[in-house]
Amino acid sequence: MRYKLPRKYTPVVFAFYMSAVMALLMCMVIVAINTGVDGHYFIRVIQAYALAMPTAFVFLQLVRPLVVRLVNATVAG
């Protein structure tokens, strides 16, 4: 049987996955633009990601209430 977190943790889990994916994609693009793609590209990406992912997660948690309010003000329903 697989262990799953309780539903009340959905916003935190969503923020974790969203920040993980977006930070990785942004690091890949920014490192490629700034330093090019060569034999050390993935090492540079991982080094940038080590800082970017926790930062993205914290800021995503901080701005989530604002984003929810903006979405509610923008979308009918």
Side-chain angles (χ1 to χ4, degrees):
M1 186 161 111
R2 294 174 65 175
Y3 175 77
K4 290 190 174 187
L5 294 171
R7 192 165 296 280
K8 68 180 180 178
Y9 295 113
T10 298
V12 176
V13 173
F14 179 86
F16 177 80
Y17 288 137
M18 179 64 79
S19 60
V21 171
M22 291 305 297
L24 179 61
L25 294 173
M26 294 302 296
C27 285
M28 291 173 71
V29 170
I30 293 168
V31 168
I33 290 170
N34 285 333
T35 62
V37 179
D38 59 14
H40 299 286
Y41 170 72
F42 288 109
I43 292 169
R44 291 192 307 273
V45 168
I46 295 303
Q47 289 172 338
Y49 184 73
L51 174 64
M53 195 293 186
T55 304
F57 178 71
V58 168
F59 281 114
L60 191 58
Q61 292 292 81
L62 291 174
V63 300
R64 183 183 179 280
L66 171 63
V67 172
V68 168
R69 283 195 299 271
L70 290 171
V71 169
N72 288 337
T74 307
V75 177

